[in-house]
Amino acid sequence: MRPLIAGNWKMHGTLDSARELASGVASGVASGADLLVCPPFVHLAPVAGVLGGSSVALGAQDCHAAAKGAHTGDVSAPMLADLGARFVILGHSERRSDHGESDAVVLAKAEAALAAGLTPVVCVGESEAQRVAGEAEAVVAGQLAGSLPEGFAAAGGVVAYEPVWAIGTGRTPTEGDIAAMHARIRAELQARFGEAGGKLRILYGGSVKPGNAKAILALPHVDGALVGGASLVAADFLGIAMAV
């Protein structure tokens, strides 16, 4: 399958810097990977304008479970689709921790994304305490079971494995640990969705950089990367894509 390199810009950037970053990514060499950038809500429309005509896809960082309503400060999946977004990140550990999002909340949002024609990128991952306790694979398997809707595989949904303790810390699991977790995720997807589960992309995220991308992306069942800090520099983001 064709790898996906996704950039999560998180809560960073001004209007000018978002346009400049999007332009830098769009003008780069796409290599053998699909590229996706996920700017903050307020920059979606201008970034969509910059990316128009390029092969770089636009995504958002979250959505509400309802299509509309009295939800001050929230953004619905249909609104994102209307702006040109094709993907939406859901269940990121920062959403799960900062906003107390449970698997059930993530599931409802993923269902809303599918209903709006968006491809959900559902994040799963264990804390350091859970890994030390030997619970990492069980925790991730539970998150998959509770967060993925029935139509996920048919819609070509994406799973992103991000060990919580590796996000933004500069630390990464061993290659063996990454391979083992991705193999477990693949097994869970196939057990639930059958043959379609073997064709879904599983991304790795957590301190991915140009320097370690080649080794990580070469591992079995690693079908791309969800990139945080390194996605804020076009050359670094494209360097990761070129490592495919």
Side-chain angles (χ1 to χ4, degrees):
M1 64 189 75
R2 189 172 168 86
L4 174 66
I5 307 299
N8 178 11
W9 296 1
K10 305 190 180 184
M11 196 174 70
H12 292 291
T14 62
L15 180 58
D16 286 343
S17 68
R19 285 175 171 151
E20 181 179 359
L21 178 54
S23 178
V25 172
S27 63
V29 178
S31 73
D34 293 333
L35 300 182
L36 165 66
V37 296
C38 301
F41 287 137
V42 294
H43 296 151
L44 281 169
V47 168
V50 173
L51 297 180
S54 78
S55 62
V56 182
L58 179 69
Q61 299 175 19
D62 184 46
C63 72
H64 196 277
K68 61 180 179 179
H71 303 287
T72 301
D74 284 308
V75 177
S76 73
M79 290 175 177
L80 300 177
D82 190 46
L83 285 175
R86 292 170 47 200
F87 295 78
V88 59
I89 299 171
L90 299 171
H92 192 281
S93 67
E94 291 158 3
R95 296 290 311 180
R96 291 179 186 261
S97 62
D98 293 354
H99 298 271
E101 293 189 0
S102 64
D103 290 339
V105 169
V106 178
L107 174 65
K109 291 184 174 187
E111 290 173 337
L114 292 178
L118 299 175
T119 300
V121 180
V122 175
C123 300
V124 295
E126 81 284 356
S127 67
E128 185 166 22
Q130 290 166 333
R131 174 159 286 278
V132 170
E135 301 169 350
E137 289 193 14
V139 166
V140 168
Q143 290 173 335
L144 290 169
S147 301
L148 303 186
E150 288 304 315
F152 187 80
V158 179
V159 172
Y161 166 59
E162 293 195 306
V164 177
W165 50 272
I167 299 172
T169 65
R171 300 164 58 198
T172 56
T174 67
E175 292 176 17
D177 287 339
I178 295 172
M181 184 63 81
H182 277 247
R184 175 62 183 271
I185 293 172
R186 178 69 69 205
E188 295 291 330
L189 293 175
Q190 289 178 315
R192 179 168 174 188
F193 299 116
E195 183 179 353
K199 299 177 181 178
L200 297 178
R201 292 188 283 198
I202 307 171
L203 313 184
Y204 171 76
S207 298
V208 181
K209 310 176 188 68
N212 63 17
K214 188 173 184 63
I216 292 173
L217 293 169
L219 296 171
H221 304 297
V222 176
D223 309 308
L226 180 57
V227 185
S231 71
L232 299 176
V233 179
D236 288 348
F237 184 64
L238 291 169
I240 292 170
M242 290 297 291
V244 172

